[in-house]
């Protein structure tokens, strides 16, 4: 049975707990967002970037934080996509028996 | 079944508890038939013993370090500060910059290998005694126990309808949890922005929006993970729990139930001869299940949910003492020892891990020690290739970036090497650079074009400290002039 609900992921005929599904998407995304933020801002000082683009002045802490959440959102989107496409295909319903066959 | 007076098992472990546990098992089955399995709340029973004492010691030391080190400073400089707003990292008297991130990568690789090494040697020591998840959960459990009472009291409270008393007890627990979490969040942020200033601003309620946000964010993570998620973090979120078995071999220290000795398990009167009754040493008191923070039964064998906290060892030893049986029905052992073979501590796996680890550590220490605390970058002025002065000399303009990574201020003398009669023109022959800072100065070089043999000549800028011998840096630049044939 597939209800189309996000927690209805089936693997080898088993359902996994919802907390596992959510953790499996959000948590690795958090870790990778942390790595991405660290690498990105190692090479780019947000203060210099913002100076060049002439954007509104934004402190480094704010830029780091926003950058982190941008990366996190991106990674969550990727992970959620993977989880969604991993759902097994819905087998076609067998055709309904005709009424005359029933009688 | 023995009468309650003669039953050595504690109250909640008796038949009543068993039947309650029986109901629980059915519940899980029911729920699994629905859309997703609901988590059964685990109430770990308090435990005393050798390993519990070890764990409490580890918790006190590690949390003491976490909450304490942030406040240590030397010469007015916080000893461990990853100053993100300033893009400077102070590590016990050494200063690092973002371009030094290779050292951080190095450190992380060493940390991972150390984990592998200890896992191969002694199993999940990390999980049971040092993992932040274990350490903070231990504190949260302690707070819960102090406010709600012991395991049976907690279970009774959760079953009772919500009234004024339950509300007050639960409210008090969450209040203490939240306060402790916020203090944790504050300390965490204090490693990334100077903590004394942060504290002063917190007292004045004038924290910046992002500082406030991260204090609450990290506080919430602590509260959620240690208060609510607990063992689920280990089971669903921890990658180490999943792959640690790859580092295990038959000589790795594991916690194991001696089924040979324990089975067949069963209740018995104290002082009765188990052999006569056809029983093993396990009295089936289920205390090992009750103390388990991840809610597993160690008697079912090695499971990946087991964080090797050794609570089951402590509690089983206590029971064995009461029964007058030898200790160690549940104990630290190795697969080889269990199957009667010899355990090898020194083995190829351990030697390989130690060799790689030692090599990396030496490399890190050497590279940090050889690292120059001074950096000089030269950038040619991009506006013009060269300029001719009124005296007919050719002039190139350079921007010199001096990075002083030392925790002290320095004065430098600038010099220039190149073809003969190359002159250095600068407004500041002596350049003062503050501690841990970057200065940009403009300098130019002039020469008679007749002295140039080619269009582009290599020259070398050099800075030498006037206050510390052997502190200096140099950088190569190009001096451009007219093509010699065009003269």
């Amino acid at each position: 049975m597939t209800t189309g609900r996000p927690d209805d992921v089936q693997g080898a005929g088993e359902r996994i707990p919802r907390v596992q599904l959510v953790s499996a998407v959000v948590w690795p995304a958090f870790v990778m967002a942390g790595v991405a933020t660290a690498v990105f801002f190692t090479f780019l000082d947000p203060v210099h970037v913002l100076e060049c683009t002439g954007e509104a002045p934004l402190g480094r802490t704010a830029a780091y934080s926003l950058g982190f959440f941008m990366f996190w959102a991106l990674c969550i989107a990727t992970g959620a996509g993977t989880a969604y496409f991993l759902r097994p295909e819905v087998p076609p319903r067998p055709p309904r028996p005709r009424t005359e066959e029933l009688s | 079944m023995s009468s309650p007076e003669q039953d050595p098992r504690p109250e909640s472990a008796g038949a009543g508890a068993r039947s309650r546990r029986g109901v629980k098992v059915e519940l899980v089955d029911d729920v699994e038939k629905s859309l997703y399995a609901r988590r059964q709340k685990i109430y770990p029973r308090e435990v005393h013993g050798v390993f519990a004492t070890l764990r409490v010691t580890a918790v006190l030391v590690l949390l003491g370090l976490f909450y304490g080190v942030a406040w240590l400073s030397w010469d007015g400089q916080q000893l461990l500060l990853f100053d993100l707003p300033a893009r400077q990292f102070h590590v016990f008297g050494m200063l690092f910059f973002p371009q030094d991130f290779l050292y951080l990568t190095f450190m992380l690789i060493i940390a991972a290998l150390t984990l592998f090494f200890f896992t191969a040697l002694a199993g999940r020591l990390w999980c049971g005694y040092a993992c932040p998840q274990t350490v903070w959960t231990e504190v949260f459990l302690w707070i819960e126990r102090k406010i709600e009472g012991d395991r049976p009291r907690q279970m009774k409270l959760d079953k009772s309808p919500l009234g004024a008393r339950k509300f007050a007890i639960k409210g008090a627990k969450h209040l203490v949890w939240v306060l402790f979490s916020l203090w944790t969040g504050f300390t965490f942020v204090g490693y990334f922005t100077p903590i004394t200033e942060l504290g002063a601003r917190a007292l004045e309620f004038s924290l910046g929006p992002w500082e406030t946000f991260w204090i609450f964010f990290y506080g919430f993570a602590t509260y959620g993970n240690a208060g609510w998620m607990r063992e689920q973090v280990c089971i669903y979120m921890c990658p180490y729990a999943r792959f640690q078995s790859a580092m295990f071999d038959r000589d790795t220290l594991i916690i194991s139930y001696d089924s040979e000795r324990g089975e067949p398990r069963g209740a018995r009167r104290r002082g009765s001869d188990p052999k006569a009754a056809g029983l093993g040493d396990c009295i089936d008191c289920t205390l090992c299940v009750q103390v388990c923070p991840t809610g597993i039964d160690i008697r079912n064998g090695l499971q990946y949910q087991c964080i090797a906290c050794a609570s089951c060892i402590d509690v089983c030893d206590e029971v064995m003492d009461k029964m007058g049986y030898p200790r160690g029905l549940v104990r630290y052992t190795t697969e080889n020892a269990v199957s009667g073979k010899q355990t090898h501590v020194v083995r190829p796996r351990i030697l390989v891990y130690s060799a790689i680890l030692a090599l990396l550590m030496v490399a890190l220490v050497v590279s940090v020690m050889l690292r120059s605390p001074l950096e000089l970058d030269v950038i040619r002025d991009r506006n013009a290739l060269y300029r001719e002065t009124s005296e007919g000399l050719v002039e190139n303009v350079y921007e010199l970036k001096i990075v002083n990574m030392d925790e002290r201020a320095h004065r430098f003398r600038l010099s220039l090497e190149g073809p003969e009669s190359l002159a250095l023109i600068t407004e500041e022959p002596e350049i003062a650079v503050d501690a841990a800072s970057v200065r940009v100065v403009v300098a130019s070089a002039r020469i008679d074009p007749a002295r140039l043999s080619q269009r582009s000549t290599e020259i070398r800028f050099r800075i030498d400290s006037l206050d510390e011998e052997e502190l200096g840096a140099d950088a190569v630049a190009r001096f451009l002039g007219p093509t010699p044939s065009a003269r």
Side-chain angles (χ1 to χ4, degrees), chain A residues 1 3 5 7-8 15-20 23 27 30 39 41-46 60-62 64-66 68-69 72, chain B residues 32-37 39 84-87 98-101 104 210-211 213-214 217 229 232 235-239 242 304:
Chain A
M1 183 198 72
T3 59
R5 290 176 58 160
D7 50 16
D8 199 21
R15 292 189 179 83
I16 61 165
R18 174 180 276 172
V19 62
Q20 183 175 7
S23 308
W27 171 240
F30 181 88
V39 173
F41 288 115
T42 294
F43 294 105
L44 280 177
D45 184 346
R60 277 189 184 131
T61 314
Y64 293 149
S65 307
L66 292 174
F68 171 76
F69 282 107
W72 196 11
Chain B
E32 263 172 3
K33 285 191 196 103
S34 73
L35 279 172
Y36 56 92
R39 171 206 181 208
L84 290 181
R87 290 176 77 80
Q99 56 262 40
D100 293 322
F101 84 107
L104 180 72
W210 285 105
E211 289 164 351
F213 171 81
W214 284 112
F217 186 91
M229 295 287 283
Q232 296 177 98
I235 297 172
Y236 301 129
M237 291 162 73
C238 180
R242 297 285 177 108
Y304 96 90

Side-chain angles (χ1 to χ4, degrees), chain B residues 393-411:
Chain B
L393 301 176
V394 179
E395 183 183 77
N396 278 205
V397 180
Y398 302 89
E399 214 179 70
L400 308 178
K401 198 170 125 192
I402 302 166
V403 187
N404 178 15
M405 292 179 255
D406 207 357
E407 300 268 28
R408 288 175 43 209
H410 287 291
R411 285 181 305 120

